[in-house]
């Protein structure tokens, strides 16, 4: 078992695409992607140009694993929301849960305009729960070879949005996934949003722990609820401001992709609509004090931005997204992500990476063609997966192609 993670690229296992003939200096693009002991890959390296990337192959070949690796280069828990210890490669024949998590690394060389940078994220497995803090399993992040302390620094350098099959029921299931979806959109044009979100979640876990343990120390509650209110209102304000900016762009239809009306609902949103943020912060702090007994009985904190919801309406049909057909719901998701990409391009001078896992297969030919055209128009390096190569034929020379089979990736001429 390796006890260290390297972000260096090995010469063996390199996979190269063709040189880009239509370079757009405004875009951000992955020029090299290296995976070490990640999911099904002992090691693989892809050399790419700035065009969209098409990954085709049978189910289970490892296509989604490549997209997931890229998703770890931005704040959050990645495309599958896996923990760091879950994505390390498992040796063939190993029993379920019988082997310790393996150290792994993902490294990428990115180009943004005339600038290149190296990003790396990995999981160090040496030591254990009883080891010193420095040697316990942990995340490691490097930018141009220098360690950084938190994921917010990643967000300041690269952003990515994704659509995956597990998101098909986003409008039908509970609000937690919708909140994560909107927060991830916000990270693209407001990377500092990750800070209040992480701080709020940390304080929320702390208060819930006090509730579960039956703590009666008012000073402990006062301290943690002050932090919870401060960060909670900050999260709500950033979400509100982001939706106010994203809304006019998302409301416009893009060819066969409908316009979307987006809004936020919840107690905090109501307070902010009727008064200043400082008043809402004090109101939240007072409510947290008043609900300690009820929250202890209920098993958790009942007030905060973790209770808010994101509401989406199909603008043309005037219907809630949950009432739309499966195809229209998918089209709404694509439309919202493209709107966020446009807003980011306007704000930061470059669009995000776009990770589309099996999305094209669930769009009709008209919407597929429109999606491919909009990706090119916005200057996006989209990474797209599918089992059928013919679906991507309309892209022609605008895309580079790789075939994936049993963890082996080869370029397609």
């Amino acid at each position: 078992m390796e006890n260290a993670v390297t972000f260096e690229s090995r010469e063996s296992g390199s996979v190269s695409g063709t040189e880009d003939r239509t370079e757009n200096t405004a875009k951000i693009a992955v020029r090299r992607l290296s995976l070490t002991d990640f999911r099904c890959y002992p090691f693989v390296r892809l050399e790419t140009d700035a065009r969209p990337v098409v990954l085709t192959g049978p189910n289970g070949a490892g296509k989604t694993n490549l997209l997931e690796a890229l998703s770890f280069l931005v704040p959050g828990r990645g495309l599958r929301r896996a923990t760091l210890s879950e994505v390390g490669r498992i040796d063939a024949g190993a029993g379920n849960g019988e082997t310790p998590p393996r150290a792994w690394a993902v490294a990428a060389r990115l180009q943004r305009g005339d600038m290149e940078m190296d990003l790396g994220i990995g999981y160090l497995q040496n030591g254990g729960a009883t080891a010193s803090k420095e040697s316990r399993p942990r995340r490691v992040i490097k930018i141009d070879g220098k360690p950084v302390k938190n994921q917010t620094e990643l967000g300041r350098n690269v952003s990515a949005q994704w659509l995956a099959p597990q998101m098909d029921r986003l409008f039908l299931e509970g609000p937690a996934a919708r909140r994560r979806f909107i927060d991830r959109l916000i990270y693209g044009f407001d990377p500092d949003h990750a800070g209040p979100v992480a701080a709020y979640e940390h304080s929320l876990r702390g208060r819930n722990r006090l509730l579960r343990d039956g703590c009666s120390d008012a000073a402990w509650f006062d301290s943690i609820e002050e932090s919870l209110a401060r960060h909670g209102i900050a999260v709500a304000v950033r979400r509100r401001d982001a939706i106010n900016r994203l809304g006019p762009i998302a409301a416009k239809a893009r060819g066969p992709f409908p316009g979307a009306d987006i809004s936020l609902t919840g107690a905090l949103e109501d307070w902010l609509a009727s008064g200043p943020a400082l008043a809402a912060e004090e109101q939240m702090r007072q409510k947290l004090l008043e609900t300690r007994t009820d929250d202890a009985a209920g098993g958790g904190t009942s007030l905060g931005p973790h209770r808010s919801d994101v509401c989406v309406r199909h603008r043309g049909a005037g219907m809630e997204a949950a009432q739309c057909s499966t195809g229209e719901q998918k089209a709404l998701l694509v439309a919202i992500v493209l709107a966020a990409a446009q807003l980011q391009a306007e704000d930061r001078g470059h669009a995000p990476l776009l990770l589309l896992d099996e999305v094209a297969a669930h769009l009709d030919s008209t919407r597929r063609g429109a999606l491919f055209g909009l990706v090119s128009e916005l200057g996006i390096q989209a990474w797209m997966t599918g089992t059928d190569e013919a679906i991507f034929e309309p892209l022609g020379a605008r895309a580079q192609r790789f075939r994936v089979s049993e963890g082996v990736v080869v370029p397609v001429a």
Side-chain angles (χ1 to χ4, degrees):
M1 176 68 67
E2 293 182 34
N3 286 327
V5 171
T6 175
F7 296 115
E8 297 300 321
S9 298
R10 307 176 196 174
E11 292 303 319
S12 61
S14 174
V15 180
S16 297
T18 58
E19 286 301 315
D20 185 19
R21 295 181 296 276
T22 58
E23 189 75 26
N24 182 341
T25 57
K27 73 175 62 175
I28 186 169
V30 176
R31 304 307 298 263
R32 176 184 299 157
L33 175 65
S34 303
L35 278 61
T36 303
D37 285 329
F38 185 92
R39 294 289 190 186
C40 64
Y41 294 101
F43 178 78
V44 69
R45 188 176 75 188
L46 283 72
E47 301 279 357
T48 56
D49 57 51
R51 293 175 296 163
V53 178
V54 172
L55 304 166
T56 56
N59 291 326
K63 305 184 300 295
T64 303
N65 294 343
L66 294 169
L67 269 58
E68 183 182 28
L70 287 169
S71 74
F72 272 103
L73 295 172
V74 300
R77 288 183 54 180
L79 185 146
R80 289 188 175 112
R81 289 191 55 75
T83 63
L84 298 177
S85 62
E86 291 174 335
V87 300
R89 185 172 62 88
I90 299 177
D91 293 322
N96 291 334
E98 295 179 4
T99 56
R102 184 189 295 267
W104 57 266
V106 173
R109 173 158 293 177
L110 301 179
Q111 181 176 0
R112 189 171 69 225
D114 296 329
M115 181 180 66
E116 286 192 345
M117 72 184 72
D118 292 313
L119 298 182
I121 182 168
Y123 175 72
L124 281 179
Q125 183 270 332
N126 56 321
T130 60
S132 65
K133 182 177 180 180
E134 292 73 18
S135 60
R136 289 177 188 170
R138 66 189 189 278
R139 182 196 309 264
V140 177
I141 302 172
K142 292 185 178 181
I143 299 177
D144 286 333
K146 298 178 180 179
V148 297
K149 292 184 178 181
N150 58 60
Q151 295 184 85
T152 302
E153 293 301 319
L154 289 174
R156 294 194 177 108
N157 289 281
V158 63
S159 63
Q161 305 293 348
W162 55 81
L163 292 173
Q166 61 265 33
M167 297 172 63
D168 287 349
R169 294 183 58 82
L170 186 75
F171 300 122
L172 302 176
E173 297 180 342
R178 291 189 288 276
R179 290 192 299 268
R180 290 193 297 269
F181 174 67
I182 208 69
D183 282 338
R184 191 170 66 248
L185 295 182
I186 296 171
Y187 295 151
F189 50 87
D190 181 11
D192 290 335
H193 181 58
V197 169
Y200 177 79
E201 291 176 348
H202 177 76
S203 297
L204 181 64
R205 289 191 297 270
R207 184 175 190 267
N208 287 342
R209 187 161 49 247
L210 294 181
L211 294 171
R212 288 194 305 268
D213 294 345
C215 178
S216 58
D217 189 331
W220 273 104
F221 273 105
D222 289 345
S223 175
I224 206 163
E225 286 169 359
E226 190 281 330
S227 175
L228 202 62
R230 176 161 45 89
H231 294 301
I233 295 300
V235 169
V237 167
R238 285 176 178 271
R239 284 177 179 168
R240 181 196 60 181
D241 292 348
I243 293 298
N244 287 342
R245 299 181 62 219
L246 179 62
I249 301 175
K252 298 177 182 177
R254 296 169 177 269
F257 294 106
D261 291 324
I262 311 172
S263 60
L264 293 162
T265 62
L268 273 62
E269 287 71 26
D270 292 341
W271 296 343
L272 289 169
S274 59
L278 284 177
E281 185 178 322
E282 179 56 36
Q283 197 167 358
M284 181 175 175
R285 189 181 299 109
Q286 183 62 34
K287 286 291 184 181
L288 289 170
L289 170 62
E290 295 172 359
T291 57
R292 288 174 189 173
T293 300
D294 289 344
D295 285 352
T301 301
S302 58
L303 174 71
H306 68 291
R307 300 291 186 178
S308 300
D309 200 357
V310 181
C311 299
V312 175
R313 289 179 62 85
H314 187 299
R315 189 175 180 84
M319 296 172 58
E320 297 289 343
Q323 299 173 340
C324 294
S325 69
T326 301
E328 289 298 329
Q329 289 180 26
K330 177 71 76 171
L332 280 168
L333 280 173
V334 173
I336 293 169
V337 168
L338 291 174
Q342 179 181 332
L343 179 57
Q344 179 179 329
E346 293 172 357
D347 269 15
R348 303 181 66 183
H350 61 82
L353 298 173
L354 189 55
L355 313 178
L356 301 176
D357 191 18
E358 299 287 353
V359 169
H362 299 287
L363 299 174
D364 59 37
S365 59
T366 299
R367 282 177 171 152
R368 278 201 301 271
L371 174 62
F372 297 155
L374 288 167
V375 164
S376 298
E377 178 185 324
L378 291 171
I380 296 174
Q381 189 191 52
W383 289 63
M384 297 173 277
T385 71
T387 57
D388 185 0
E389 294 183 17
I391 286 177
F392 302 100
E393 285 182 359
L395 279 164
R398 290 179 294 169
Q400 57 203 306
R401 293 166 171 78
F402 297 87
R403 189 171 292 122
V404 186
S405 178
E406 297 183 352
V408 177
V409 187
V410 295
V412 179

